[in-house]
Amino acid sequence: MPVDLTDYEKSMLAGAVGTDGDRMAMEVVAQSARMLGAKGLVEIQSSHIDGCLYHGDSGALYCEKLVEGGARVRVPATTNVGALNLLNPDQCRLPPDQRKMAFRLMVAHERMGCTPSWTCAPYQAGARPALGTQVAWGESNAVAFANTVLGARTNRYGDFLDIACAISGRAPRYGLHRSRNRHAKLVLDVTGLPQALRAQSAFYPVLGAIIGRLAGETVCAVTGLAPGAAEDDLKALCAAAAATGAVALLHLVGITPEAPDLQTALGGQPPEETIVLTRDMLIDARDGLSLAADGPIDSVALGSPHFSAEECRAVLALAGGHRFLVPVYICLGRHTVSALEQDGTDRALRELGVVFVADTCVVVTPILPDTPGVMMTNSAKFAHYATGNTGHLPVFGTLGECVASAQAGRVVRDKAVWA
């Protein structure tokens, strides 16, 4: 199917406007639109680039080709995590040749004018597109958060295409860029779950894990959530749903800007299916996030998506001044590191045994001990990817359980949370 391009887009594609790098980027976007069945392109206002995480030399060589062609981003573009902690380069155990290419990839994005945010939670680092804004974001949790919590409009953009969109200022006009595709078809009802349970932070990542498995890529509406949910809880929910499924948009009724009520979320149409979630379903999903039995642990990993300053301060408060017996890895953006330095929270946490991992995270690059062990986490996303990416078996728990377990060197449970 031919793609209907504007005169400006045709000129860029022909090389009459911009640089050789611009032409190359527009060619990638236009050909992607053709393959996706899009009839045209949409002008975007920002981008979040997932392709700066090293997965092989091709990504670095592609971006360096764009740089050589004079390409520069036309819209504000933040960078997702890289494979290196640039604040502590020796923290990662990549082989020298891979380390070199990972660094070249990160540098190439900076040379194209991307903001070096190096975080999977750009929305907590100042990148917060307005309601209805067309954007081209990568990184699954960031996409889900942008659509669900902020009301921006983006599909799940992957490597190569994400930076091409940022350079051209365009994205294929299909999927969630179009209003008709943003209506929910599946309804998940949590109103029957105990109110005290729905108020727990640990409820949100587990609910997200259920949503991802039930919804897949279907847009669904969730009824029964408290309207005053904390942003960090919504972050955890979106990340889990995007990891266990292909979720890019959830209508959290009363929270999502496009879903003030259920009928609006559904676009005035009846749902194709309604599923009432029970406590047993929740407990099964929680237990499914653990692949190791309760017992000794080798580490605790927090921050997928990246921890906020508030979450870091919560760890410090829960620790009560008692040191950890196992390493506690907290993955976070450099903007959060700076915030923690302002009040000494970073120093206090390091003294307890926290290992800060900035610019990257322990599940996407080798930082955890290379001897497989048991990793405890409060992140459903970490739990989902841990074994395949690191060889470590996950144990899922609340943040309080993670802190207590790190101090004991073994899993400590608070049964009252799920009672």
Side-chain angles (χ1 to χ4, degrees), residues 71-364:
R72 298 275 297 182
V73 296
R74 279 178 165 73
V75 298
T78 48
T79 52
N80 191 43
V81 297
L84 299 174
N85 177 353
L86 298 181
L87 302 180
N88 183 10
D90 293 334
Q91 191 175 53
C92 170
R93 299 190 316 276
L94 279 175
D97 56 334
Q98 294 182 20
R99 178 190 295 267
K100 178 180 177 180
M101 295 303 290
F103 181 70
R104 284 171 54 177
L105 178 60
M106 297 173 80
V107 168
H109 282 89
E110 290 197 49
R111 292 180 65 187
M112 287 186 283
C114 295
T115 300
S117 51
W118 312 124
T119 180
C120 55
Y123 42 86
Q124 293 188 324
R128 298 178 74 89
L131 173 64
T133 304
Q134 299 283 7
V135 302
W137 278 30
E139 212 294 324
S140 62
N141 102 83
V143 169
F145 190 96
N147 280 312
T148 300
V149 181
L150 302 179
R153 299 189 168 200
T154 181
N155 295 306
R156 289 169 58 126
Y157 287 99
D159 299 4
F160 299 91
L161 180 54
D162 50 10
I163 189 63
C165 290
I167 293 167
S168 65
R170 299 293 190 273
R173 191 176 67 237
Y174 82 109
L176 296 177
H177 289 295
R178 309 188 67 181
S179 296
R180 70 183 187 184
N181 296 325
R182 296 179 68 86
H183 298 142
K185 299 184 181 302
L186 169 66
V187 174
L188 302 179
D189 184 357
V190 303
T191 54
L193 296 173
Q195 186 173 356
L197 182 56
R198 283 181 280 155
Q200 296 281 350
S201 289
F203 168 72
Y204 288 87
V206 175
L207 175 62
I210 294 177
I211 292 171
R213 294 187 178 108
L214 292 177
E217 62 181 4
T218 301
V219 177
C220 73
V222 182
T223 61
L225 291 177
E231 180 167 294
D232 284 325
D233 292 336
L234 298 177
K235 175 178 69 175
L237 186 156
C238 289
T244 61
V247 171
L249 167 63
L250 295 163
H251 287 299
L252 309 177
V253 176
I255 297 175
T256 298
E258 297 169 73
D261 54 65
L262 181 58
Q263 282 307 304
T264 303
L266 291 166
Q269 300 298 314
E272 295 179 359
E273 184 180 10
T274 298
I275 300 175
V276 177
L277 300 187
T278 66
R279 182 179 176 278
D280 287 344
M281 294 170 68
L282 201 69
I283 297 301
D284 286 345
R286 178 204 66 184
D287 293 346
L289 293 171
S290 296
L291 297 182
D294 287 0
I297 61 173
D298 298 286
S299 64
V300 169
L302 308 170
S304 182
H306 274 171
F307 249 30
S308 66
E310 291 74 16
E311 288 174 304
C312 292
R313 294 183 182 114
V315 171
L316 183 61
L318 288 166
H322 299 291
R323 283 187 56 82
F324 302 125
L325 293 183
V326 300
V328 175
Y329 298 91
I330 295 184
C331 306
L332 70 179
R334 52 178 57 193
H335 62 285
T336 303
V337 174
S338 297
L340 298 178
E341 290 173 345
Q342 298 301 311
D343 61 7
T345 300
D346 68 319
R347 182 179 64 255
L349 286 170
R350 291 181 199 275
E351 289 174 352
L352 295 179
V354 165
V355 178
F356 286 115
V357 179
D359 296 344
T360 186
C361 89
V362 298
V363 165
V364 299

Side-chain angles (χ1 to χ4, degrees), residues 301 304 331 360-366 368 375 381-383 385-386 389-390:
S304 182
C331 306
T360 186
C361 89
V362 298
V363 165
V364 299
T365 199
L368 293 175
M375 180 196 82
K381 183 175 181 178
F382 262 165
Y385 290 122
N389 285 16
T390 71

